[in-house]
């Protein structure tokens, strides 16, 4: 007669039974015992539940960790995107003007609104060099007021205005000079407007001195002449180029020369500047601009935004 298993033996065998490590005969004996013993059956069911729970816990934790990691990664990506968007918005809010003359005119008008003598600008000519756009303009409501504005080009193919010089003219045919700086190089911008057909040359006039010092009796006026190719123009000359032309144009020695004004000449080389003089007018010369300080602040703001973006991105990516 087959000997029945005791409860202690069955409960010792249950772990192996659950893991299917016992033989067929042992399985039959255990199952017959479980059918008749409530205590062992309850112990068996408890063991099965415990094993199921142990298997589920790592799965739940793994899913939770994956969800947290995915959330942190998404947050880091959003930080990067927001940083780039905010930086771009700051940048394009400054570099917002196109090369279109009406757009440039509006920029100059807006920029000079705070001047003592603001202008309603009308752009005449534009010329770009090394990312710097020089624009000549006139005031639409003051016939004798002209100027030069300086724009910086941006990565978005647009410009921001950084400086504007306004100057009145006593002449109906206008040739004016403006010093400009491009990439730390000094240039003279020459703007011509409404030049008569009689005017064949314009001159850049220097005061020079025949001896060191600034005695009035030693002072003389020397001119460098350039051909007028169009009645309206905008030209650049490097300061060193002009100095060389001036030095080569005279035979005698001179000192302490500096550019002071312009002049106009006919086909025979006779000066006819005074022929085009209007009534005397007050000098409205104004020179102002945001300069490098404001431009520096733009990059500071962008750097702050990007710095914060990097900090938050690293925070979300750090385990």
């Amino acid at each position: 007669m087959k000997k029945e298993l005791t409860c202690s033996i069955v409960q010792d065998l249950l772990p192996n039974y659950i893991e299917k490590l016992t033989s067929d005969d042992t399985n039959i004996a255990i199952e017959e015992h479980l059918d008749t013993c409530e205590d062992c059956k309850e112990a068996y069911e408890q063991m099965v539940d415990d094993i199921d729970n142990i298997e589920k816990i790592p799965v739940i934790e793994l899913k939770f960790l994956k969800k947290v990691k995915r959330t942190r990664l998404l947050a880091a990506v959003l930080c990067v995107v927001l940083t780039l968007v905010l930086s771009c918005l700051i940048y394009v809010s400054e570099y917002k003007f196109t090369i279109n003359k009406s757009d440039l005119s509006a920029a100059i008008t807006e920029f000079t609104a705070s001047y003592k003598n603001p202008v309603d600008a009308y752009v005449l000519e534009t010329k770009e060099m090394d990312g710097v756009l020089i624009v000549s303009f006139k005031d639409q409501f003051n016939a004798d007021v002209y100027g030069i504005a300086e724009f910086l080009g941006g990565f978005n193919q647009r410009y921001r205005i950084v400086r504007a010089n306004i100057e009145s003219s006593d002449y109906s045919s206008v040739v004016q000079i403006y010093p400009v700086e491009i990439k730390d190089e000094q240039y003279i911008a020459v703007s011509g407007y409404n030049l008569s057909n009689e005017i064949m040359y314009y001159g850049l006039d220097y005061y020079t001195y025949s001896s060191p010092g600034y005695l009035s009796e030693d002072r003389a006026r020397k001119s460098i002449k350039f051909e007028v190719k169009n009645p309206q123009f905008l030209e650049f000359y490097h300061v060193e180029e002009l100095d060389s032309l001036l030095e080569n144009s005279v035979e005698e020695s001179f000192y302490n020369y500096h550019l002071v004004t312009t002049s106009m000449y006919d086909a025979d080389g006779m000066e006819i500047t005074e022929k085009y003089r209007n009534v005397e007018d007050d000098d409205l010369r104004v020179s102002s601009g945001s300069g490098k300080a404001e431009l520096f602040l733009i990059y500071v703001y962008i750097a702050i935004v990007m710095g914060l973006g990097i900090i938050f991105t690293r925070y979300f990516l750090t385990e």
Side-chain angles (χ1 to χ4, degrees), residues 171 173-177 190-192 195 199-206 221-228 233 259-266 269-277:
Y171 301 89
S173 290
V174 181
V175 178
Q176 292 179 318
I177 51 176
V190 183
S191 174
L195 297 190
I199 302 171
M200 304 304 294
Y201 303 93
Y202 67 88
L204 302 184
D205 299 345
Y206 288 77
R221 194 183 79 169
K222 304 292 182 181
S223 295
I224 309 173
K225 294 180 183 177
F226 298 89
E227 182 182 358
V228 174
F233 63 86
L259 182 60
V260 290
T261 188
T262 62
S263 51
M264 294 173 278
Y265 302 85
D266 63 16
M270 298 294 295
E271 183 175 353
I272 53 176
T273 307
E274 291 304 311
K275 183 176 180 179
Y276 295 94
R277 178 181 287 276

Side-chain angles (χ1 to χ4, degrees), residues 158-214:
R158 293 184 177 239
Y159 300 86
R160 72 183 299 268
I161 184 170
V162 295
R163 188 170 292 104
N165 295 276
I166 305 170
E167 187 175 329
S168 63
S169 174
D170 297 332
Y171 301 89
S172 57
S173 290
V174 181
V175 178
Q176 292 179 318
I177 51 176
Y178 304 88
V180 296
E181 182 178 309
I182 301 176
K183 300 296 184 182
D184 297 324
E185 297 287 335
Q186 301 299 320
Y187 291 84
I188 297 297
V190 183
S191 174
Y193 174 70
N194 195 37
L195 297 190
S196 166
N197 292 333
E198 182 185 13
I199 302 171
M200 304 304 294
Y201 303 93
Y202 67 88
L204 302 184
D205 299 345
Y206 288 77
Y207 278 154
T208 66
Y209 295 84
S210 57
S211 61
Y214 295 92

Side-chain angles (χ1 to χ4, degrees), residues 34-77:
L34 292 177
D35 289 339
T36 59
C37 180
E38 289 296 327
D39 291 339
C40 290
K41 184 177 182 180
E42 184 177 344
Y44 166 74
E45 291 175 350
Q46 184 63 46
M47 286 184 185
V48 172
D49 289 341
D50 290 343
I51 291 173
D52 288 342
N53 290 334
I54 290 173
E55 291 177 349
K56 290 178 181 178
I57 288 173
V59 175
I60 294 172
E61 288 182 349
L62 182 60
K63 288 182 178 179
F64 175 75
L65 291 175
K66 285 183 177 179
K67 185 176 181 180
V68 170
K69 188 174 182 179
R70 187 165 55 248
T71 302
R72 293 171 72 93
L73 181 60
L74 179 60
V77 171

Side-chain angles (χ1 to χ4, degrees), residues 83-84 86-92 94-95 295-309:
T83 298
L84 293 176
L86 288 175
S87 298
C88 288
L89 287 176
I90 293 173
Y91 191 85
V92 300
E94 290 295 327
Y95 290 86
L295 184 61
F296 173 74
L297 287 177
I298 294 172
Y299 293 114
V300 169
Y301 295 149
I302 293 176
I304 290 173
V305 170
M306 296 191 73
L308 290 174

Side-chain angles (χ1 to χ4, degrees), residues 11 22 43 52 82 99 103 112 118 130 139 143 164 175 203 235 246 263 284:
Q11 291 183 18
T22 51
D52 288 342
L82 287 175
I99 195 68
D103 206 12
T112 61
D130 293 332
D139 190 343
V175 178
E235 298 290 346
L246 180 63
S263 51
L284 296 178

